[in-house]
Amino acid sequence: MTESVPVRCPACGREHAYSPPEYPCVCGAPVSVPVPLGGAAVEIRHRSWEDSWTEVACRACGADGHWPQPEFICACGATIRLAVAEGPATEESSAPDRPAFRPLTIRTAHDAVACAAQFLCWLGFEDVRPAAPRSANGVDLRGPEIVGAVNPATHPTGARGIETLWLHGLSENAIPIAFSLAGYDRQARSRADELQLPLFVMDLAGTPQPVNDPADLLLRERDPGHRD
């Protein structure tokens, strides 16, 4: 998410914290129109179609896109347009950027498994296959490099589930990765840290988040911009 910048309304003098919105490039990466710190803000009294758009290149793929000019409506009723910074809309990077993960809304247990599979594919794991229905041994996802368990229940995952998943990873020479909607109890967290097993939680909007150091490490290692 882009950082907010302080802006003063030229009409009434009120202070605002403006966060430039992000727009999806055709490549899937987020693009925001860069707003400079301390840039000029002007009140719009007469709007034209041409003045409402600006051209910004995507840092991920380099494609030029036309995006709405950064604007907001002050509480006084004035429409304020902000200056646009020169240069790329995203952070500088010498390495290729990974497109932003596209969440999958979770309404059913099947959605949770599909979301986890989509997330692992986004991380770069190939040929990740959901098990449907869930296998009796508790493994929901398999790939050449990984085995995964997804707990869509309303109760936290316990240590037994973590140990079972770790044993599957050991026997199949694969990375064990756990996902849970309700999180993990204290024993499960402790056991996962001992076994260096990545833990992720998912919200109903379908965005997995790392909850322990092994999961953070996995994200860094699978990041195209990571450098040892």
Side-chain angles (χ1 to χ4, degrees), residues 31-148:
V31 176
S32 64
V33 178
V35 176
L37 186 64
V42 297
E43 182 180 359
I44 302 174
R45 291 188 173 89
H46 304 285
R47 183 186 297 276
S48 68
W49 177 262
E50 292 79 7
D51 292 339
S52 297
W53 300 87
T54 187
E55 185 173 321
V56 175
C58 173
R59 170 59 59 181
C61 69
D64 289 329
H66 287 83
W67 311 104
Q69 287 275 10
E71 300 176 356
F72 70 93
I73 299 177
C74 180
C76 71
T79 299
I80 308 303
R81 176 173 296 159
L82 307 181
V84 177
E86 297 182 0
T90 56
E91 296 180 359
E92 293 289 340
S93 173
S94 59
D97 294 326
R98 177 169 53 207
F101 176 70
R102 294 188 175 183
L104 177 65
T105 302
I106 297 174
R107 298 183 179 88
T108 66
H110 176 75
D111 291 339
V113 174
C115 177
Q118 182 172 297
F119 181 74
L120 292 174
C121 291
W122 175 75
L123 286 179
F125 293 103
E126 298 181 354
D127 196 24
V128 178
R129 303 181 305 278
R134 187 184 194 192
S135 60
N137 58 23
V139 173
D140 300 283
L141 301 164
R142 273 194 168 85
E145 301 177 74
I146 66 100
V147 289

Side-chain angles (χ1 to χ4, degrees), residues 94-224:
S94 59
D97 294 326
R98 177 169 53 207
F101 176 70
R102 294 188 175 183
L104 177 65
T105 302
I106 297 174
R107 298 183 179 88
T108 66
H110 176 75
D111 291 339
V113 174
C115 177
Q118 182 172 297
F119 181 74
L120 292 174
C121 291
W122 175 75
L123 286 179
F125 293 103
E126 298 181 354
D127 196 24
V128 178
R129 303 181 305 278
R134 187 184 194 192
S135 60
N137 58 23
V139 173
D140 300 283
L141 301 164
R142 273 194 168 85
E145 301 177 74
I146 66 100
V147 289
V150 182
N151 180 10
T154 56
H155 56 79
T157 299
R160 183 177 180 181
I162 297 302
E163 292 170 347
T164 300
L165 177 62
W166 178 78
L167 289 172
H168 280 291
L170 187 65
S171 64
E172 299 181 31
N173 193 28
I175 301 171
I177 304 174
F179 297 85
S180 179
L181 278 176
Y184 307 85
D185 64 27
R186 183 176 301 178
Q187 290 183 332
R189 291 282 297 269
S190 177
R191 194 72 178 113
D193 289 343
E194 292 173 2
L195 299 173
Q196 292 296 293
L197 192 151
L199 302 179
F200 291 87
V201 293
M202 296 187 294
D203 55 26
L204 295 180
T207 304
Q209 299 290 343
V211 295
N212 66 349
D213 289 341
D216 285 329
L217 178 61
L218 179 68
L219 289 179
R220 290 196 300 270
E221 290 178 341
R222 305 298 296 192
D223 187 342

